[in-house]
């Protein structure tokens, strides 16, 4: 089974809720093991009153709603299904707004001759998720060549977007209802440039492997299947610290849609290979092993000191900062790049890095102190306070 033995679920309520949610997500994704998991989980007591809040926190409400309706609707309290239905409708309305915004922006960009790729979000919802399933998303992520970034910036400004609220890559709509996040690489390097060594591939090579998808009645482009799987793993590890359940749903959906895409992982850069292995290893520990042969082939011959402990933290809550920094250190090629990463994490010098630590609204100095606290707890191997 999955989740019920995870250290993050130490409370009795969450222990009873988590297995049902995971089984429902698998059913929503159409996983072959879903029916057995769901029947086994629902045979025991479930704290149904806690399910909607936990589904919202884990960002899996639409999948859970679809899974429970398809496999166990008669055993689920009607008020729980209704709460999940309302969450799904809300997310669907936001998805429609983002689709319109993305289609308008991409039409303008394409008319200006700028090659652009849509990352995650709308592309996954269209290509990888089961028909009719909404993928929760906060914004629109675009990938462009670094040389095209100035042109794209000016174009978004003309459309009314502004990027002076948080970071230079976040362009907010005039009504602040959404943002378009523009990336110039498959690894976010705005705050930590050394992290770019994880996947230093030129945009043109990525563009040549692209695939089309329908967006707002027009054709848009996204990463090819192999790049999609690898990007999802890299993003899960180095941006989110493998927290939550959304990254698991994304990766399982992608592997279900493109089962052969995993075969390209062994030829990817070392840090990308390791990231894919991390994700497959955590999924296997949760009772879902979508690519056992690839997981075995990708397993590093030798783990660095503390790497296994950092990977085990992925089953705990509130440890994103510690996990992602530790595993990034393990994935970066060479000690000089690791040293540069540590230096940039501890002493961010660029003004945008300093401002970035205040994303949540904290004063910059206080936010940076909290950031340093994460690093200290990582070095000491201590648990993050709740």
């Amino acid at each position: 089974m999955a989740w019920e033995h995870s250290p993050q679920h130490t409370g009795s309520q969450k222990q009873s809720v988590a297995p049902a949610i995971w089984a429902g997500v698998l059913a929503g994704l159409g996983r072959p093991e879903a029916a057995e998991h769901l029947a086994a989980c629902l045979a025991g007591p479930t704290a149904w009153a806690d399910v909607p809040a936990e589904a919202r926190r884990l960002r899996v409400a639409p999948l859970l709603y679809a899974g429970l309706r398809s496999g166990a609707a008669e055993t689920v309290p009607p008020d729980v299904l209704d709460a999940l239905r309302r969450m799904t409708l809300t997310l669907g309305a936001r998805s429609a707004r983002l689709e319109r915004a993305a289609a308008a922006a991409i039409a303008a960009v394409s008319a200006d001759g700028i090659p652009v790729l849509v990352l995650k979000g709308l592309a996954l919802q269209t290509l990888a998720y089961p028909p009719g399933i909404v993928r929760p998303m906060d914004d629109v992520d675009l990938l462009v060549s670094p040389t095209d970034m100035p042109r794209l910036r000016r174009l978004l400004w003309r459309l009314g977007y502004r990027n002076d609220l948080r970071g230079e890559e976040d362009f907010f709509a005039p009504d602040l209802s959404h943002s378009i996040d523009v990336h110039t690489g498959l690894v976010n390097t705005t705050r930590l440039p050394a992290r770019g060594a994880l996947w230093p591939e030129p945009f043109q090579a990525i563009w040549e492997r692209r695939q089309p998808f329908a967006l707002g009645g027009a054709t848009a482009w996204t990463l090819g299947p192999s790049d999609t799987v690898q990007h999802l793993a890299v993003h899960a590890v180095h941006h989110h610290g493998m927290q939550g359940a959304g990254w698991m749903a994304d990766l399982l959906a992608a592997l279900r849609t493109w089962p052969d895409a995993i075969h390209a992982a062994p030829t990817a850069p070392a840090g990308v290979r390791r990231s894919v292995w991390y994700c497959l290893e955590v999924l296997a520990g949760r009772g879902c092993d979508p690519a056992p042969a690839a997981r075995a082939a990708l397993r590093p011959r030798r783990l660095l000191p503390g790497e296994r402990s950092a990977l085990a933290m992925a089953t705990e809550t509130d440890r994103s900062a510690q996990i992602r920094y530790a595993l990034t250190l393990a994935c970066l090629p060479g000690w000089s790049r690791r040293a540069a990463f540590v230096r940039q994490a501890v002493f961010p010098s660029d003004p945008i890095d300093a401002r970035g630590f205040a994303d949540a609204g904290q004063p910059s100095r206080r936010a940076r102190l909290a950031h340093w606290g994460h690093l200290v707890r990582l070095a000491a191997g201590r648990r993050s306070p709740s």
Side-chain angles (χ1 to χ4, degrees), residues 31-354:
R31 293 289 306 176
E33 67 271 39
E36 180 183 348
H37 276 206
L38 198 55
C41 290
L42 298 182
T46 299
W48 287 111
D50 299 317
V51 166
E54 190 69 355
R56 181 184 292 108
R57 184 184 74 83
L58 294 170
R59 298 170 61 84
V60 292
L63 280 171
L64 179 60
Y65 178 56
L68 291 179
R69 284 187 67 204
S70 67
E74 69 282 355
T75 66
V76 183
D79 60 324
V80 172
L81 277 179
D82 186 59
L84 294 172
R85 180 186 66 84
R86 285 185 277 109
M87 277 190 273
T88 299
L89 291 174
T90 299
L91 291 169
R94 178 164 182 80
S95 172
R97 290 196 300 271
L98 288 175
E99 182 176 353
R100 288 194 297 270
I106 291 172
V109 168
S110 300
D112 205 35
I114 302 175
V116 61
L117 294 169
V118 180
L119 300 178
K120 301 185 279 93
L122 293 164
L124 283 176
Q125 179 175 274
T126 301
L127 293 174
Y129 272 62
I133 300 293
V134 177
R135 180 192 181 274
M137 59 192 90
D138 297 320
D139 48 34
V140 177
D141 290 287
L142 302 181
L143 178 70
V144 298
S145 167
T147 58
D148 286 327
M149 180 62 165
R151 294 170 60 203
L152 181 57
R153 181 186 295 115
R154 290 191 294 269
L155 188 148
L156 290 175
W157 285 344
R158 291 199 300 270
L159 294 176
Y161 286 86
R162 55 182 295 192
N163 65 326
D164 59 344
L165 296 176
R166 187 169 63 189
E168 64 178 5
E169 78 279 10
D170 299 308
F171 292 81
F172 284 84
D175 61 358
L176 304 183
S177 63
H178 68 276
S179 68
I180 293 179
D181 295 354
V182 182
H183 305 272
T184 55
L186 291 175
V187 181
N188 192 318
T189 58
T190 301
R191 302 179 193 174
L192 299 164
R195 195 158 52 186
L198 290 167
W199 201 346
E201 188 163 19
F203 176 84
Q204 188 57 39
I206 300 166
W207 175 256
E208 290 173 359
R209 298 192 295 266
R210 69 192 184 279
Q211 62 179 322
F213 74 102
L215 179 66
T219 298
W221 301 95
T222 187
L223 301 175
S226 298
D227 287 333
T228 294
V229 168
Q230 293 168 29
H231 179 247
L232 289 173
V234 166
H235 192 74
V237 173
H238 304 285
H239 188 73
H240 290 297
M242 305 176 77
Q243 297 296 276
W247 71 266
M248 291 187 280
D250 282 349
L251 195 56
L252 288 172
L255 289 172
R256 178 178 181 270
T257 304
W258 304 294
D260 293 335
I262 194 68
H263 301 321
T267 62
V272 177
R273 294 198 306 270
R274 220 173 184 97
S275 300
V276 175
W277 177 74
Y278 290 155
C279 292
L280 294 178
E281 191 76 357
V282 169
L283 283 171
R286 306 264 182 155
C288 187
D289 197 357
R295 182 166 64 89
L298 290 169
R299 190 186 192 284
R301 294 170 57 189
R302 195 171 43 134
L303 295 180
L304 297 175
E307 191 174 1
R308 174 64 71 177
S309 297
L311 188 57
M313 291 181 192
T315 60
E316 302 181 25
T317 58
D318 301 324
R319 306 210 66 171
S320 173
Q322 291 104 308
I323 294 167
R324 61 180 177 172
Y325 285 152
L327 296 182
T328 297
L329 280 173
C331 288
L332 281 171
W335 290 104
S336 63
R337 290 186 175 91
R338 291 170 183 156
F341 176 79
V342 171
R343 184 175 64 254
Q344 292 165 9
V346 176
F347 300 111
S349 57
D350 192 281
I352 205 165
D353 293 344

